Amino acid sequence: MFIEPFTFTTNNKLTIARTLDHIEEQELILKLKNQDKDALSYLYDKYGAALYGAVQRIVQDDDVTAEVVQDIFLKIWNKIEMYDPQKGRLFTWMLNLSRNAAIDKIRSKEIKRSAKTDSIDEYVYTIDRQNSTETSVDGIGVRALMDDLVEEQRFVLLKVYFEGFSHSEIADEYDIPLGTVKSRLRSALKHLRNKVQL
């Protein structure tokens, strides 16, 4: 269930708002920094669905996803000054906020989730069951390619691409040096690229 476009009232509640016509990113950022409520609604109209999809892939629960997305837009509203255009586009910054918020949510005490310990087979089954239009991982041979990796590479690849971990989160949680995590991931991806090109 997707939430409707919103703006903030004085008590920080979300309500429906009118939207602006197309505005350029620089102008949008300026309007957000000036706390323009219509600009926030425009931002939601333009990027809300994409951020919702990114969160949903990690959280996999409609109600929790809607809650996280609303929290993300509150954070954008309150922390837009932290956005640095020199480090990337606005959408990239928002996507990183969304991904981090989704991971924080599934790790929170209120959300008990077993997906992090699920096998690849269970994870693939869950994805296929929730979205029957997706091609199964078996159908494109990903599992066979991954089975060919050494265990350390396979572990890091699964954590990053199937379970939403960042490199530093893997390093912290599993006590692996950050450089080693990055090196194993690079090696795994290089191996997969070579296999696909054969």
Side-chain angles (χ1 to χ4, degrees):
M1 168 179 69
F2 197 57
I3 49 180
E4 294 293 326
F6 61 83
T7 188
F8 293 99
T9 61
T10 53
N11 59 358
N12 251 4
K13 297 291 183 186
L14 302 178
T15 57
I16 304 297
R18 68 182 183 83
T19 58
L20 300 169
D21 292 329
H22 175 75
I23 50 179
E24 295 299 320
E25 186 168 293
Q26 286 182 326
E27 184 183 354
L28 176 61
I29 293 164
L30 184 61
K31 286 177 177 291
L32 289 169
K33 287 183 176 181
N34 289 326
Q35 300 286 283
D36 184 321
K37 295 175 183 179
D38 289 332
L40 182 66
S41 182
Y42 174 87
L43 188 78
Y44 183 88
D45 284 345
K46 185 169 181 179
Y47 298 111
L51 298 184
Y52 186 95
V55 171
Q56 174 68 5
R57 280 193 295 277
I58 295 170
V59 174
Q60 298 184 5
D61 178 283
D62 290 338
D63 293 334
V64 176
T65 297
E67 178 186 332
V68 171
V69 170
Q70 286 196 3
D71 289 345
I72 290 161
F73 277 92
L74 275 169
K75 188 175 281 190
I76 292 166
W77 178 253
N78 292 320
K79 300 193 177 199
I80 188 64
E81 293 295 335
M82 294 175 62
Y83 168 64
D84 181 358
Q86 300 299 319
K87 294 183 178 177
R89 296 185 60 86
L90 178 64
F91 178 70
T92 305
W93 179 70
M94 294 190 306
L95 194 59
N96 286 332
L97 283 179
S98 301
R99 183 181 168 281
N100 292 338
I103 290 169
D104 288 346
K105 190 65 169 179
I106 63 174
R107 289 185 177 170
S108 68
K109 290 182 182 176
E110 70 178 282
I111 305 288
K112 299 294 185 195
R113 190 178 148 150
S114 62
K116 288 190 170 157
T117 57
D118 285 349
S119 71
I120 184 72
D121 295 337
E122 291 167 328
Y123 192 83
V124 169
Y125 174 74
T126 301
I127 296 293
D128 285 346
R129 190 181 65 216
Q130 289 178 348
N131 186 357
S132 59
T133 62
E134 280 190 343
T135 304
S136 76
V137 169
D138 282 343
I140 59 175
V142 172
R143 189 179 340 158
L145 290 172
M146 290 182 66
D147 284 344
D148 196 36
L149 295 171
V150 296
E151 181 56 37
E152 292 84 3
Q153 293 173 350
R154 185 173 185 271
F155 174 81
V156 171
L157 194 70
L158 286 172
K159 291 295 172 192
V160 170
Y161 289 102
F162 286 87
E163 299 176 19
F165 279 76
S166 70
H167 299 166
S168 57
E169 288 166 341
I170 296 170
D172 292 343
E173 193 158 326
Y174 294 97
D175 198 26
I176 303 171
L178 182 58
T180 303
V181 171
K182 291 180 178 182
S183 174
R184 288 176 182 173
L185 185 60
R186 273 194 307 271
S187 297
L189 293 173
K190 182 178 179 183
H191 177 81
L192 292 178
R193 275 194 297 271
N194 291 339
K195 290 284 287 185
V196 169
Q197 289 171 358
L198 292 178

